[in-house]
Amino acid sequence: DECGVCGGDGIADGECDCDGNIEDCAGDCGGDAYEVIVCEDTDGDGLGNPGTETLECIEGGRDEITDGCDLPDMNIYLGENGEVFYNSSSEIGGFQFNIDGTTISGASGGDAQSAGLMISTSSTMVIAFSLSGSSVPSGCGTLVNLNLDGEVTGLSGLVFSDALGNQIPIVYYVPEAA
């Protein structure tokens, strides 16, 4: 076959070489680019606006962000094992976001659970809040851990608030192209 194996099956469907690599969204065989959904800030408030979602191919692997402290202030990021990392100079009293590209079977742990926030999920959404006014202190770390049922393409529809319900401008981090 084309891989030099006598009687072998050659390159399998979806693979682009004999090492089992697949083509990334940038068209590179074995590349580390991935897709994320981003929203444009059309009204200048620092938050993405509904209806402006676009799918972007981002160069560089997810392994560049391994902790929330790797992020700029007021950003979240989905790690490759379902961790939602955060860095926020504001306390987080509640949050809501959508899971894009797959479904979720649960969310727990992280600083949200440690702070006493109630975490609830649907098949495509996570919401967390406190009935007692508790909040995640400002800082960085893992906000919550998601149990995902497939390959996620990103998080969208981000809504974050402080303990009083005032919206805080947290956005999804998109690494710069390598």
Side-chain angles (χ1 to χ4, degrees):
D1 67 9
E2 66 267 57
C3 297
V5 177
C6 186
D9 294 330
I11 298 173
D13 281 344
E15 295 177 356
C16 55
D17 64 15
C18 294
D19 294 328
N21 289 310
I22 59 171
E23 195 172 280
D24 68 6
C25 61
D28 295 331
C29 184
D32 60 0
Y34 59 97
E35 292 180 328
V36 295
I37 296 175
V38 295
C39 295
E40 201 175 325
D41 179 15
T42 57
D43 59 8
D45 66 356
L47 304 170
N49 296 97
T52 64
E53 298 87 357
T54 58
L55 190 62
E56 290 188 16
C57 182
I58 304 299
E59 292 290 333
R62 290 179 181 259
D63 58 353
E64 297 169 8
I65 305 296
T66 59
D67 181 83
C69 298
D70 294 334
L71 295 168
D73 188 26
M74 306 308 280
N75 277 258
I76 66 168
Y77 184 75
L78 181 63
E80 60 186 43
N81 295 316
E83 319 94 323
V84 177
F85 298 125
Y86 76 100
N87 188 345
S88 175
S89 56
S90 296
E91 292 183 349
I92 300 172
F95 58 87
Q96 173 182 320
F97 53 80
N98 299 318
I99 309 299
D100 301 319
T102 190
T103 58
I104 182 172
S105 59
S108 63
D111 293 340
Q113 185 171 330
S114 296
L117 270 63
M118 296 172 40
I119 304 167
S120 183
T121 64
S122 70
S123 62
T124 59
M125 182 185 295
V126 176
I127 186 168
F129 58 92
S130 171
L131 296 175
S132 66
S134 64
S135 60
V136 176
S138 61
C140 56
T142 301
L143 185 62
V144 66
N145 295 298
L146 308 179
N147 298 324
L148 301 168
D149 297 326
E151 184 72 24
V152 67
T153 56
L155 304 177
S156 63
L158 276 59
V159 177
F160 281 74
S161 63
D162 63 17
L164 299 175
N166 299 309
Q167 190 166 6
I168 54 177
I170 292 186
V171 297
Y172 189 79
Y173 178 72
V174 178
E176 292 182 27

